[in-house]
Amino acid sequence: MNTEKKISHEITFKHNLPNRDQPIRILVIKLRHFGDVLLTTPLINTLKANYPHALIDVLVYEGTEVMLAGNKAVYLTYTVDRALKKQGLKKQYRGEKALLNSLGTWHYDLILNLSDQWRAAFYCYKLNPTFSIGFRYPRRNNRLWRFCHSALVDTDLQASRHTVMNNLSILEPLGLPVICSDVTMSYRQMDIDHLELLCQKTPLSDYIVIQPMARWAFKNWSITSYSQLIDHLMQRGEKIVITGGRSEEEISSIRQILKGCLYPEEIINLAGKLDMPELAVLIDRAKLFIGVDSAPMHMAAALQTPSVVLFGPSNLKQWHPWQAPHTLIWAGNYRPLPSPDDINTDTSERYLDAIPVADVITAVVRRLGTIQDAVMAKKSYYFSPEMSQS
């Protein structure tokens, strides 16, 4: 249950508030990474609950739209091609113009801009919606940013709340009666079929998913530590499935992890073989997820798969697994960490290496014990002598 209280924000209005029964076409803009896009789904669900007849479109970076694949609350997904920046001003201009023309096909009644890029503010202005809402980011608190939006919501409390609640706070000017805080990770039958085809020689059941790598290297745990953890779990008789992205760096790191294991041939390696919705199917069917601060961690939380997650200097209040069974191990309990606002994402420092393997093993074993207790309790309920006699 969500225990966070709704907090009132300072709001600046340029136009009158829209009638909340009015919006027919809505656009949500989130120009960030995979996990950020996934964490907008409570906002999208809230819009759908309050405006059941509205068509809700989203605008995200190209590639991240897979986080919304199969999401029935989303009508159309538009993408921004970041690669155009490297192809010259002429191609970039043509790409932006084509995107604006596509978006301009619809007259949006409402645009919600969750991003801090000027490009997003420009869309709010150029598309001329009936009403638009953005955040008053400190770095954007100027006349031009205000001019591009009908209303701005303050961000002073964002560092102390989860990203889900921060996203939902943009709705405060609308005064909506229903708020949905559940994160939705969707997948399709085609994603189930692809995973089952991939694993048809090794049917998957009663397994643990380990996603060792994150987008930023400073969020990662050491390769040798993962190898030792996997060895311990396999000696306990656990089936391990290891996953990862398609980058050569990530695949190489996972090869090194497997190379350091005692029984690498018994580990199912799906690194580089799954799209995000297919990974969602795998995580959804797993009995436990082990990983770091990353999009797959948020997927596990959305799917209510129990998890053990390792965290470094990221803001825990903003990025912890949301409303899901998990054990979080924070590197800050073992060594000093920089402030989340002062992180150098290109650093060679590996903060999570301070976390001992023994502590992770203890957390995983305890979490597995909790899962086993829940399974046994469920079996006891379904197969109790009293019920068998009825």
Side-chain angles (χ1 to χ4, degrees), residues 214-263:
R215 173 185 176 85
W216 303 109
F218 75 87
K219 294 183 177 182
N220 294 335
W221 199 33
S222 76
I223 286 172
T224 55
S225 294
Y226 275 118
S227 298
Q228 292 173 36
L229 172 63
I230 291 172
D231 283 344
H232 180 88
L233 293 175
M234 294 190 72
Q235 286 167 357
R236 282 174 49 93
E238 301 292 349
K239 182 183 293 184
I240 304 298
V241 181
I242 194 165
T243 60
R246 289 189 167 90
S247 72
E248 184 52 43
E249 182 180 0
E250 194 162 342
I251 291 174
S252 175
S253 295
I254 290 173
R255 286 198 196 106
Q256 292 179 56
I257 291 172
L258 297 180
K259 188 177 180 180
C261 293
L262 294 174
Y263 313 103

Side-chain angles (χ1 to χ4, degrees), residues 20 29 39 69 76 90 95 99 131 196 198 212 221 245 299 360 374 376:
R20 66 184 176 209
I29 303 176
L39 295 181
L76 292 176
K90 185 177 289 186
L99 175 59
F131 199 78
E196 292 180 348
L198 193 63
W221 199 33
M299 292 164 60
V360 179
M376 294 305 294

Side-chain angles (χ1 to χ4, degrees), residues 321-369:
W322 178 247
Q323 296 181 340
H326 72 276
T327 301
L328 191 149
I329 305 174
W330 184 47
N333 288 328
Y334 303 92
R335 58 156 293 172
L337 297 178
S339 164
D341 295 329
D342 298 330
I343 299 171
N344 174 12
T345 56
D346 294 325
T347 182
S348 59
E349 189 82 34
R350 297 295 176 264
Y351 304 104
L352 271 63
D353 287 357
I355 300 175
V357 178
D359 287 8
V360 179
I361 289 174
T362 299
V364 170
V365 171
R366 286 178 179 170
R367 181 56 65 179
L368 288 171

